[in-house]
C-alpha cells in the first residue's frame, strides 16, 4: 500500500515515534546508536549489519508502525530509468522512482526517515505529488545499480 505524507503529517509523525518506541523496546541499546551524527536509518542499518534484526523484520516494523503494507516483491517490475533524477541522489538516499505521470510519482524506499525530504524536493523542483512504497534495502540497492 502506498504511503502519502502530504495530508497525514501528524499520522506520519506518530508512526515515526512508534518506530523509535518499538525498536527501543526490542533493543535496549538502540538509543545509544542514535547519536547526533547518526540518523535513524544509520542506526537501523547497524542493527541489520550486526544481525540483530533482518531486513524483512525492520521493514515490517516500519510498515506496521506506519499502518501500510510492504511492497509485494512478487509484483515487482523493474522500473525504467528516469532521467530527471541524478543517480547520486538515488544512491545516497536509497530510493527509486517506480511509477510516474500526471503530476504524481510513486517512489520505492527502504526506510521512512527521509520521506519528508523527498516529498519537499520532488514537490519543489518537479511539482510532483509523491507516494511511497516500502521495500527491502538489498532489493532497492540492486535495482538502482541495474537501472542506472
Amino acid at each position: 500500500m502506498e504511503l502519502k505524507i502530504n495530508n497525514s503529517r501528524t499520522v506520519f509523525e506518530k508512526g515515526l515515534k512508534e518506530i523509535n518506541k518499538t525498536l527501543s523496546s526490542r533493543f535496549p541499546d538502540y538509543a545509544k546508536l542514535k547519536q547526533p551524527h547518526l540518523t535513524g536509518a544509520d542506526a537501523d542499518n547497524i542493527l541489520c549489519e550486526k544481525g540483530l534484526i533482518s531486513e524483512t523484520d525492520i521493514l515490517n516494523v516500519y510498515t506496521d508502525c506506519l499502518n501500510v503494507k510492504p511492497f509485494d516483491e512478487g509484483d515487482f517490475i523493474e522500473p525504467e530509468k528516469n532521467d530527471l533524477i541524478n543517480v547520486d541522489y538515488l544512491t545516497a538516499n536509497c530510493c527509486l522512482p517506480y511509477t510516474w505521470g500526471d503530476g504524481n510519482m510513486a517512489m520505492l524506499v527502504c526506510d521512512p526517515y527521509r520521506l519528508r525530504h523527498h516529498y519537499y524536493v520532488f514537490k519543489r523542483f518537479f511539482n510532483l505529488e509523491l507516494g511511497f512504497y516500502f521495500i527491502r534495502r538489498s532489493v532497492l540497492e540492486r535495482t538502482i545499480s541495474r537501472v542506472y
Side-chain angles (χ1 to χ4, degrees), residues 3-19 65-67 116:
L3 174 67
K4 294 202 176 263
I5 62 169
N6 57 339
N7 294 327
S8 57
R9 219 165 231 188
T10 56
V11 172
F12 176 68
E13 294 300 326
K14 286 180 187 175
L16 288 177
K17 287 178 183 173
E18 188 62 29
I19 290 167
C65 291
L66 293 168
N67 200 27
R116 286 179 297 211

Side-chain angles (χ1 to χ4, degrees), residues 37-147:
H37 62 282
L38 290 180
T39 66
D42 294 332
D44 298 355
N45 289 338
I46 290 170
L47 292 176
C48 290
E49 288 168 5
K50 288 184 174 185
L52 299 173
I53 190 168
S54 71
E55 278 187 89
T56 301
D57 289 341
I58 196 86
L59 188 69
N60 288 332
V61 169
Y62 298 155
T63 56
D64 289 348
C65 291
L66 293 168
N67 200 27
V68 295
K69 293 183 182 195
F71 189 85
D72 184 348
E73 293 176 19
D75 294 337
F76 183 72
I77 298 170
E78 193 165 278
E80 295 177 21
K81 182 177 180 182
N82 185 320
D83 291 325
L84 289 175
I85 303 152
N86 185 306
V87 67
D88 294 335
Y89 180 90
L90 303 177
T91 304
N93 292 287
C94 205
C95 62
L96 182 66
Y98 190 61
T99 60
W100 55 88
D102 296 328
N104 293 296
M105 179 182 284
M107 183 173 283
L108 298 173
V109 295
C110 59
D111 70 67
Y113 302 106
R114 300 175 190 102
L115 301 188
R116 286 179 297 211
H117 171 76
H118 298 320
Y119 183 81
Y120 171 78
V121 167
F122 285 85
K123 183 68 175 168
R124 173 85 167 93
F125 296 107
F126 303 109
N127 198 29
L128 291 170
E129 290 293 329
L130 266 182
F132 301 96
Y133 291 106
F134 289 91
I135 193 165
R136 288 182 303 130
R137 174 176 289 281
S138 58
V139 172
L140 196 49
E141 289 173 341
R142 284 192 308 267
T143 304
I144 291 169
S145 4
R146 275 195 310 268
V147 173

